[in-house]
Amino acid sequence: MRLDPGLAPAALWCTLADTLATWCAGQGVALRDTVLLLPYAALLPPARAAFAQRGGWPPRIETALTLADSLAPPGETALGADPAEDRLAAVALLLQEAGGVAWQAQDPLGFADAARALAEAAVRLAEGAGACAPAERAVFWQAAHRAAAGAEGPGALEQALLRVAVAWAAESPAPATDALFDLQPAAWCVLQAGGADRLGAGLLRAWPGPALWLEADADPADPFAALTRTDGPVPSELLCDHFEAEAQATAAEVIDALAQGLGPVGLVALDRELVRRTRALLERAGVALLDETGWRLSTTRAGARVMAWLQAARPDAEADVRLAWLQGWPAAQAQPVQLRQIEARWRRDGLAAVAAQPLWLAAQAAWAPLAGGAPQALSAWCQALGLALQQADEWAALAQDAAGAQVLQVLRLDGGSPRWQALAGAVPMAAEHFIAWVDAELEGASFSLPATSADVVLTPLSRALLRPFARVVVPGMDARHLGGGAAPPGLVTEALAAELGLETAAQRHLRERLALAQLLRVPDLRLLRRRLDGDEPLAASPALQALALRRAQAGLPPLPRRLPALAWQSVPIQPVPRPGPQAPLALPESLSASQVEQLRRCPYQFFARTLLRLSAPEELDREVEKRDYGTWLHAVLHRFHESGGGDALQLAAVAEAELAQTAFSAAELLPYRASFENFAPQYLAWWQARAAAGWSWCEGETDLRVQPAELAPTGLHGRLDRLDQAGTEGCVIDYKTGRAEQFKNRLKTPTEDTQLAFYAALLAPRWTGPLAAGYLTLDDPKAPELLLHADVQQTAQTLLDGLGDELQRLRGGAPLPALGEGAACEHCEVRGLCRRDQWGGA
């Protein structure tokens, strides 16, 4: 019997109860001795409520799984019951094959992908066979073995894996639902909704007694025919501009329904990322939500903590990873002073400075069981991880947390089943493979909070059908998230799936359309999609396009489009005033060139970085950067000239000697060494020409301190890269590894260049003759090129006069305002402190 596809869910359940009762009476069987099978467990409450409202004895209302669980105790684990064990069994099977161990060693990623594909194919085949009656399975397996017969050439590996999958699935234990075929009720009734029910169909084919198949789906050839009825509800479509607009509109539709007293509200999860954002908006609005989809266990705090353990324990772990783990370790959190001291010394002096600290030694002892070494069985790794968590007093915290308890269970740190122990004991893993295994298990497991009553239910499309929702909101009705994606490639091809009666891509898309057609029963259906995904145009879902086409064929207008029910609120503007702190007593005794540049660029930056001494912490582990190359090159040139100069061989020897003094290896500096190989002959040619003009190297890396009268009582300090001399004339040279063009632009207005003028002021008390200054570019294509500052001595005096006046004002209480202009503001590290983006008029 086909139920009316236009009935609302509440009316459908009442109709179903009356229909089944009438049919049982006509068959002469007792309703209470009849079994009604539903597609999924969320439909049990509305079905039972409908029979309770009708009165009398109800039938036994179950799903195939709930009924199977109640009929027999748990037996041998069947394929698909535990995905983690299935994946592990696939690994064990491949390791037993000829060349399997070598394959895993040579190509661990390819081996892992093959094991995953093998497990997925075996589960799919086992589920297909389980939907057949036991008497029909021999035919199924004969067809499967025939399709997996040997092949050569392209695809031979996949075909070989398919043969293993077929043999594995054929020999696996029978599914728990086989108990249904032995049950002897007075009659069977199966409700189909949302697509084909192969198990239900197989059950009724094998049943000799009275049976009723209730078809709640629309006609597969015309799923949206119910929309041609003018007396039924018509869904509305909301077209949004972008991701955030769709998330806000979705949340607004849910909140609007609750404000009208409509409940419960169904929120369908098609786009995981969009639903996550919508959930955050609903929680901000105080909306209680029941999540039936869950989220990845790896994203929970407990999952992240376990991964932090494994990453920190690796011998080659980065310092930042270990510090992050240490900051989350309860034993370290109980010693906050020691923890801060370790971090400060570590950042300042390196790891050697904290190596003997008791807290650091305790952390190393905690990692020791997981530190790696030779490959060992997976069960041994899990035992080591559990032991480490227990010894570090983190096991109890995980066990008391809902997500943490699931992490312990998913990773089998509490022991696991005997089957898993046997499998895990036979699969050897290196440390990096164990970390990858843990990551995959946490990524594949889903975590949901315990069920609570809520007016909003977040559910997948396949579980939203026939439920008594007053409004259903379906975001993500686009081609990317509904009906457009192809199934990932697997060992079971589309042709084989069609031959064995497994679900094909076409049937999966039909199932989506039937599910959407089921939602048309809801009195109030809101369909949302967005025009753009980032910068990429996003089309409507093929299912939504088919729905629109069916309405047009029926002569009906398009689905009504409406604006989201956004609730606007007027908020008074409360701009942050531009800061202008005063610090007359906090001025330093001496200023560097960079500090003077800060004061000139933005007084507030000078206040934050120099007076408050704020700075962004350095990375504990960082890759070689251009400034490291510049520091190394400075040292090479200084040592070269200090030792008297020479030819290319001497310069190369100096470079090697200086490389040995750095914290970086030759391999890390290799890209920059290539630049140096090109630079060295050019530099020697430039220096020979300069020496021929009468110049000689005088000194370098010189620390200077002066007390100019214009700045009293403030002094200046700094380090000169280099000073050259030709008779009584001197030339201050500052090495630069940037492009020459930026320094040329800086020198176009000499008074805007602080650094060279500052160095000239530093040298003024020592140098009475003419003085020049310039930037020497070291890695520009035209390098080396000396870019001279025009009349640097006069500019230095101008700098001292202006700086003296400014310091006098600051000592008198003048403010240090944030300027908020130009490139200096765009890239400023203290922009968040001055609140530049929240000023009035910004």
Side-chain angles (χ1 to χ4, degrees), residues 91 94-95 99-112 375 428-430 432-433:
V91 171
L94 290 184
L95 289 176
V101 175
W103 183 11
Q104 185 187 42
Q106 295 171 2
D107 183 13
L109 294 180
F111 181 87
M429 286 187 178
E432 61 270 21
H433 297 155

Side-chain angles (χ1 to χ4, degrees), residues 302-555:
R305 184 60 186 163
V306 170
M307 283 303 300
W309 261 94
L310 297 173
Q311 297 291 356
R314 295 184 59 165
D316 60 346
E318 295 181 352
D320 288 319
V321 171
R322 289 188 165 177
L323 179 60
W325 176 89
L326 193 62
Q327 291 170 333
W329 188 27
Q333 293 173 340
Q335 306 176 58
V337 175
Q338 292 85 338
L339 182 59
R340 287 194 297 270
Q341 289 175 347
I342 284 180
E343 180 178 359
R345 293 189 63 185
W346 198 349
R347 292 190 183 280
R348 184 178 66 249
D349 304 321
L351 180 59
V354 300
Q357 293 287 331
L359 188 58
W360 177 249
L361 294 174
Q364 289 182 301
W367 299 327
L370 303 169
Q376 56 182 339
L378 173 59
S379 57
W381 280 116
C382 293
Q383 185 178 3
L385 177 57
L387 179 62
L389 292 172
Q390 290 173 359
Q391 291 178 345
D393 296 330
E394 293 210 47
W395 181 284
L398 288 172
Q400 293 171 4
D401 176 68
Q406 188 172 342
V407 167
L408 299 178
Q409 181 181 7
V410 166
L411 300 181
R412 274 60 173 190
L413 301 187
D414 54 357
S417 67
R419 177 174 181 256
W420 188 89
Q421 284 289 344
L423 290 170
V427 176
M429 286 187 178
E432 61 270 21
H433 297 155
F434 174 64
I435 295 175
W437 177 83
V438 171
D439 185 51
E441 293 304 310
L442 296 180
E443 189 73 12
S446 180
F447 170 71
S448 298
L449 290 172
T452 57
S453 59
D455 291 329
V456 180
V457 179
L458 176 60
T459 186
L461 176 63
S462 60
R463 295 293 182 265
L465 318 180
L466 303 184
R467 298 175 70 172
F469 294 130
R471 174 181 293 180
V472 173
V473 182
V474 190
M477 291 292 299
D478 53 71
R480 181 165 298 168
H481 297 100
L482 182 65
L491 301 178
V492 180
T493 63
E494 287 290 290
L496 178 58
E499 181 181 352
L500 298 179
L502 306 179
E503 187 174 69
T504 63
Q507 291 170 339
R508 186 176 67 255
H509 292 157
L510 175 61
R511 187 182 294 276
E512 291 176 342
R513 296 191 183 194
L514 291 173
L516 180 60
Q518 287 284 0
L519 291 183
L520 301 177
R521 300 177 181 273
V522 179
D524 189 351
L525 178 61
R526 309 293 171 94
L527 307 175
L528 296 91
R529 67 180 181 92
R530 57 185 181 271
R531 293 188 180 92
L532 295 174
D533 191 19
D535 296 331
E536 183 181 348
L538 200 55
S541 162
L544 187 59
Q545 295 181 40
L547 190 155
L549 178 62
R550 186 65 183 84
R551 287 185 63 85
Q553 291 172 343

Side-chain angles (χ1 to χ4, degrees), residues 8-27:
L12 178 137
W13 288 114
C14 293
T15 301
L16 184 149
D18 292 338
T19 300
L20 181 55
T22 302
W23 178 83
C24 286
Q27 295 291 322

